[in-house]
Amino acid sequence: MNEEPLLSVQGLEKHFPVTKGLLQRQVGAVRAVDGISFDVRKGETLGLVGESGCGKTTTGRLITRLIEPTGGKIVFAGHDVTHMSQGRLRPLRRDVQMIFQDPYSSLNPRHTVGAIVGAPFRIQGIKTEQGTKKAVQEILELVGLNPEHYNRYPHEFSGGQRQRIGIARTLALKPKLIIADEPVSALDVSIQAQVVNLLEDLQGELDLTYVVIAHDLSVVRHISDRVAVMYLGKIVEIADRKGLYESPMHPYTNALLSAVPIPDPKRRAGRERIRLQGDVPSPLNPPPACRFHTRCWKAQEVCRTVEPPLETLAPGHQVACHFPENVAGSLEGVLGGTASTGAVPAEAAPAPEGGALA
Amino acid sequence: MSAPLDVSGEEMRAEPEAVAKAGGAPIQGRSLGQIAWMRLKRDKVAITGGLVVVLLILVAIFAPLLVGWFGHPPNEFHQEMIDTLTMQPKGGSGIGKDFLFGVEPVNGRDLFSRVVYGARISLLVAFFATLLSVVIGTVMGIVAGYFGGWVDTLISRAMDIFLAFPLLVFALSLVGVLGQFETQLAVKGDTLRILLLIFVIGFFNWPYIGRIIRGQTLSLREREFVDAARSLGARGPYILFREVLPNLIAPILIYATLLIPTNVLFEAALSFLGVGIQPPTATWGGMLSAAVKYYTVPHFMFFPGMAIFITVLAFNLFGDGLRDALDPKSSR
């Protein structure tokens, strides 16, 4: 717990300017990510969930510095990379890699698999002992592809295979941290499980740290050690997996969890389904104070005027809400929570999650 | 249109893994270029067009040989073929074993030789003008599309200006002005005119291809493989030339092939107006222009006219086929 986190994000902000007219006058800003903070410890998997447009992908792209942060701080392995120049960032890029969402768009159709997976070596100017080809073939084998596919083109592969090629590319430089942006959402459900399991196996084998961005709660539950829930550019709740799924404190998390389909009709009948009213407000003009108050059934006057801080209500369980749920119930969560926090890396061995991926 | 779709049937059906495990001959991966070539081979019309194009190029290259075998030097007068009373070719056209396409009225020059030599000028000007347009257009388009912002605004406005430019008037005046200084220039005569034509045609046509490349680059830039390269630390030139440019080969090829016939026509039009290559050098447009005065001898106009027609048609058919082969998703 006391060791320095591999990745530390503090008050990170990204506002996309909205301009108007000939002179590109700024008339507003889309507050895609609006002050989020979290730490990722070495060897753990942090899940980042939320509905479309809540800023999860932007967060991932900020961490990999594909886009420039507007504010806040990103510290990776002791280096402040928030505004580091691309030139100085280059060597650090070996350690932070990204898995992309769409396996059809993330591979250049004009390059062979060998060229795609070998690109990291070429771009970073790395010489390997037995040549790039050998290194690439080893990685292909690692992700479960036939090394003889070296000279094939992406269009000759299925979606799942293509995602494996993408994963192979991210692994080429033996990174420390992998940002997986919706790694399985573009895949068939049957293939999703394979890819998720591949990611877990690789984590154990190569000592990887993941930030998994997803909107599928069951995928996140399967793969994550800790989970952060985002709503409109803010983190509303962050906790270890057990604490979050078993005793969610934020009403939004509750609503999300109640929307997860249960494959068993008997169990389904006994559950209370929370239906959120209305749409997510526009990030152009987010609601003041608590951003969830427009859709929250517990909202009161204080929610409209005072922004709830992200507070630790149980060990390892932070919530930004004036009226959190399960706080009494979280006493059990406290015990369970501490136990699992201490044993975070060990928990990489996947606990069987019945039907989690169904 | 049916041809491109067939590809997914026979050749693509085999599941690579299954066959490889079955232990047959190793399956070769096919690049997109190879697949396009397979599609193109099935398109009989495009292949015919392509063959005609190749034939035309060979004719232009080996013009002296051809003329040596089947004709007379292009600027040689054959007064003996002309009826001295009407100044028209004897027998109406003079077409025969000796003069395959007949002779010109008045001075009796061999039309076959002149059409063959005309192919040289037409194709030379069209090819190099297209090359110039493609190079400028690709560089401008890719830079505007990839970097965006004020660079894009600047280049896009430049394109608008070029497109609005009264090209024909400019060409007419440029040729007139340069004609005044011809004695002081390093290059003279036909060489100067050819360079001028290439410059005028090529330099003012780049915005068309530039806009297409800009649009394609705009959409390619948003693809995740560009982000992947950036997240690996790739610099701008690497992304432009290694990641983006290979995906632009298809549109570049297609529009270059379709631009050539336009330029053939444009060169003919300029020569017709007397702005292009000057007589006695044979050009198709110049021959047409001369033939206008002799409408009683239709073969004079027919052969250069047909030459232009066949060239333009062949390039267009080939270009269309190429587009279908390289980009089967685009609808005609």
Side-chain angles (χ1 to χ4, degrees), chain A residues 105-325:
Chain A
S105 145
S106 63
L107 307 178
N108 192 331
R110 300 274 160 187
H111 289 179
T112 60
V113 172
I116 290 168
V117 181
F121 296 109
R122 212 167 38 241
I123 293 171
Q124 288 279 348
I126 292 175
K127 296 272 181 292
T128 47
E129 282 171 39
Q130 296 145 313
T132 307
K133 183 171 180 178
K134 185 90 182 106
V136 168
Q137 288 185 328
E138 274 168 17
I139 302 163
L140 288 179
E141 207 153 7
L142 187 68
V143 297
L145 288 168
N146 187 342
E148 287 165 22
H149 290 173
Y150 187 81
N151 279 322
R152 297 269 181 85
Y153 285 85
H155 67 93
E156 298 173 78
F157 294 89
S158 67
Q161 285 175 312
R162 294 172 69 121
Q163 196 60 308
R164 283 172 193 262
I165 297 170
I167 293 171
R169 171 175 56 195
T170 59
L171 294 177
L173 299 173
K174 309 225 172 348
K176 296 194 178 90
L177 175 68
I178 289 183
I179 316 286
D181 182 8
E182 306 264 11
V184 295
S185 64
L187 305 176
D188 280 356
V189 178
S190 56
I191 309 296
Q192 287 190 356
Q194 287 179 17
V195 172
V196 166
N197 289 334
L198 172 70
L199 288 175
E200 286 198 321
D201 293 346
L202 290 170
Q203 181 167 40
E205 213 165 315
L206 302 173
D207 195 20
L208 298 170
T209 307
Y210 288 135
V211 173
V212 176
I213 297 162
H215 63 259
D216 186 329
L217 287 163
S218 26
V219 168
V220 169
R221 180 173 197 169
H222 186 81
I223 197 168
S224 306
D225 301 313
R226 287 194 305 138
V227 180
V229 181
M230 281 185 77
Y231 183 78
L232 264 182
K234 294 247 186 220
I235 288 182
V236 294
E237 182 163 10
I238 181 164
D240 56 84
R241 172 176 60 186
K242 199 165 184 277
L244 189 109
Y245 279 86
E246 284 174 13
S247 54
M249 293 187 188
H250 199 283
Y252 179 61
T253 315
N254 257 312
L256 277 187
L257 288 176
S258 86
V260 174
I262 297 175
D264 182 354
K266 281 190 203 128
R267 277 203 291 149
R268 197 186 303 156
R271 176 177 69 164
E272 191 189 350
R273 175 86 199 272
I274 303 165
R275 282 204 175 80
L276 288 181
Q277 301 297 315
D279 287 329
V280 185
S282 162
L284 249 176
N285 187 17
C290 176
R291 296 200 167 177
F292 189 56
H293 79 247
T294 52
R295 298 167 79 192
C296 185
W297 62 97
K298 298 174 95 177
Q300 295 187 18
E301 194 48 40
V302 63
C303 301
R304 284 178 262 277
T305 49
V306 181
E307 179 165 349
L310 197 60
E311 275 178 312
T312 308
L313 294 185
H317 198 143
Q318 291 172 291
V319 187
C321 183
H322 292 301
F323 306 101
E325 303 184 356

Side-chain angles (χ1 to χ4, degrees), chain B residues 237-316:
Chain B
Y238 178 95
I239 294 174
L240 281 186
F241 294 107
R242 297 298 298 269
E243 301 283 346
V244 176
L245 193 60
N247 287 287
L248 293 172
I249 298 291
I252 291 172
L253 265 181
I254 292 164
Y255 287 97
T257 325
L258 294 174
L259 192 57
I260 288 175
T262 320
N263 288 348
V264 168
L265 281 177
F266 202 70
E267 185 274 331
L270 287 178
S271 294
F272 184 88
L273 291 172
V275 182
I277 315 296
Q278 299 300 305
T281 306
T283 63
W284 293 343
M287 290 165 82
L288 277 182
S289 165
V292 169
K293 282 177 276 183
Y294 299 97
Y295 51 85
T296 48
V297 276
H299 77 285
F300 190 12
M301 192 177 274
F302 178 78
F303 288 109
M306 277 308 279
I308 295 174
F309 172 71
I310 289 171
T311 310
V312 172
L313 185 67
F315 270 107
N316 274 329

